[in-house]
Amino acid sequence: MLALRLTRAARLAVQLRRLLVAVASAGTGFLLLCALGHALTHPEAPGASALRLAWCIAPLAATVYLAVAVARTDPGTRPRPGLSAIGLGPGRLMAVSATTTALSAALGSVAALLVFLQLRGDLTGAPADGAVTEALALGQRLPAPAVVTLLTLVPAAASAAVALNLRPRAPRPAPSAGSRRYGRFGAYGWGAARETFGTYGRYGARLAPASSASASASASASASASASASAQLADGRAAGAAPVGGGGTLLTQASDTPPPATADGTPATPDAVPDPTATPRPHTTTLPWGIAVLTAGLAVETYAGDTATPSTTPSAAVLAGWALTALGLALAGPGLTHLCGRLLQAVRPGALRLLAGRVLMEESHRIGRPLGVVCSVASAAYAAAALYDADGPDFGPLSTLGALVVAGCAVATLLTAAVEAKHDRTDTTDALLRLGAPPATLRAAAAVRAGALLALFGPLTLIVAQLASLPLAR
């Protein structure tokens, strides 16, 4: 009931995005039903029917990807302060978002069923004519379990993907910035526990980590000892003597001047160097994997072109090659976008290039992956045009529908990610305007970002498309 109320109260832009999810779900559901109809019409060719069903994975994945992007930009299901008090915590909002996505996809599946029955003539009694009639199973009864299974596939996959992406995540523990500790002679840094003289050389002290009970006991003991010895430390420092611990242990001081405290009250740690590999960013970890998967996809497409035979439906090897190519470009997209931002700031950049490059670097994890998907779809369209040439098989209506669903979902996902990125940097834009930055400069920075991305991803798309189409056009 809450999901329905949020759906009704949403703004027009949100409703349009949900309508796009329903339309994509309808197209995918219709393709799945046509694969079922082909299997009923041609029981002697189960391999061809299975191949048609396998090719429905592409529009299914594109629809799920669009549904996740739409759910991420839905303002009605974002966590807000105070909602947990009325039972609308992050987990509940995630369930509401998954339910809303399932409702939109289910609406599209119902529309696909109605159109399929209309073309079969089950509703009006007049079946349709044309090239799609062989996939409608005219004059045969549709198995209800198969129809229900195929139609619930898109809503179930979309809602599961939304729930997986929007699940509540525990915040990563920040590196502890505790006060400076005093340890054994020669100790340096900010040790979490105190060490007396000779601790390092004890037998078994460095063989295994201490248990949680002993760690908590030592922490409580050190806290009580520090509380009882605070007066002694103050007197010792005033008299110029060495500080004395709670157990009478001589402590050495690494520096005379304590570090200043930070804004949140915790003292700063200038000696602690953060580990850059502790929390790797997506663009630094997925770019090599994306290049490797892209190379593997091109190799599979080359093998598929060497063993291809003229047929109406491309082989499973072509599908696997295109899937690997799309996955590789999607993985490499954030890294390439980050690289594009770095190149914009190279060679003495001005304010315009510096602003455009910084924005690209910050938004690389958000718009890089949709850009890679669009790049893969464009290269696949070029390769498909080379495959379905004048001497090849015909590009039928079902293939056209599948291509429209995939391309439309990719472009809609990219636009949705761009809108989300624009909303997320609203505070930064307002701050720049308050500082006196002219609006024309911000528009020029947006144009520079778009031009840089086009200059990088345009030739990349052409190169990948040419490499993918060469073995298929032979």
Side-chain angles (χ1 to χ4, degrees), residues 267-291:
T269 58
D271 295 336
V273 180
D275 186 11
T277 62
T279 55
R281 298 179 66 90
H283 54 259
T284 60
T285 57
T286 59
L287 181 58
W289 289 101
I291 295 175

Side-chain angles (χ1 to χ4, degrees), residues 405-432:
V405 169
V406 173
C409 289
V411 175
T413 303
L414 178 59
L415 295 179
T416 304
V419 171
E420 181 186 7
K422 181 181 179 181
H423 289 333
D424 287 346
R425 66 171 183 268
T426 302
D427 297 337
T428 304
T429 304
D430 295 340
L432 290 175

